[in-house]
Amino acid sequence: MKIGIGSDHGGFELKEYIKEYLNKEGIEYIDYGTNSMDSVDYPDYGKKVSEAVVSKEVDRAIVVCGTGIGISIACNKVKGIRCALCGDTYSARMSREHNDANILALGGRVVGRDLAMEIVGVWLKTEFANGRHKGRVEKISEIEA
């Protein structure tokens, strides 16, 4: 599995910590920026990461901004993206099992490092359940169309 990762300045520190986790776990990733704590606009990075998921350059992605809200909204504007903002492991698991979320959003100023790593771990290891959920995800795609 190859993961895309991106953030704005508010999520930069947590993004860097997530990269350490991915390295430790041997998970390949592409970092789409930002590369410092200098002020940038989260929609730019949400779009880059989302386009990488849609084009299948990466399998799934993780995005981070200060709260996770802005970047998740930006990601969800890209057709084919199901970005879930998660602040707990249960939501992370359900976002994959039930919603086939292909991007995880986190709030760098909201979620502590240890909890963020638990959320990332659960999200990466959880597969889509299919079954009755497949039709629901298809209905989401129909709304996009």
Side-chain angles (χ1 to χ4, degrees):
M1 176 185 336
K2 186 186 288 187
I3 299 297
I5 189 163
S7 73
D8 72 353
H9 56 283
F12 175 74
E13 288 182 337
L14 183 56
K15 177 182 67 99
E16 294 301 301
Y17 195 71
I18 293 168
K19 286 169 45 178
E20 290 177 22
Y21 172 86
L22 296 173
N23 284 327
K24 188 178 86 173
E25 295 295 316
I27 298 170
E28 187 178 358
Y29 66 87
I30 298 174
D31 183 349
Y32 293 93
T34 191
N35 299 311
S36 74
M37 293 188 60
D38 294 339
S39 184
V40 295
D41 298 327
Y42 58 81
D44 298 335
Y45 297 92
K47 183 179 180 202
K48 280 184 193 180
V49 171
S50 296
E51 288 174 344
V53 171
V54 171
S55 72
K56 301 195 183 307
E57 184 176 357
V58 295
D59 301 301
R60 289 192 244 156
I62 301 167
V63 294
V64 190
C65 71
T67 63
I69 297 168
I71 203 162
S72 67
I73 291 170
C75 289
N76 280 317
K77 297 297 181 185
V78 176
K79 186 175 182 178
I81 294 302
R82 291 174 306 281
C83 180
L85 172 58
C86 297
D88 60 85
T89 57
Y90 179 76
S91 296
R93 189 172 73 246
M94 291 299 101
S95 78
R96 289 289 308 132
E97 280 184 12
H98 291 193
N99 310 118
D100 197 18
N102 48 17
I103 299 182
L104 169 66
L106 296 167
R109 296 176 179 151
V110 178
V111 179
R113 284 184 173 186
D114 291 341
L115 177 55
M117 294 311 99
E118 288 180 40
I119 292 167
V120 167
V122 166
W123 191 81
L124 290 173
K125 291 175 183 136
T126 304
E127 295 298 324
F128 180 49
N130 273 302
R132 70 181 190 270
H133 305 292
K134 184 176 183 203
R136 294 171 181 158
V137 171
E138 288 170 354
K139 285 185 176 192
I140 293 170
S141 295
E142 289 170 12
I143 293 168
E144 284 181 330

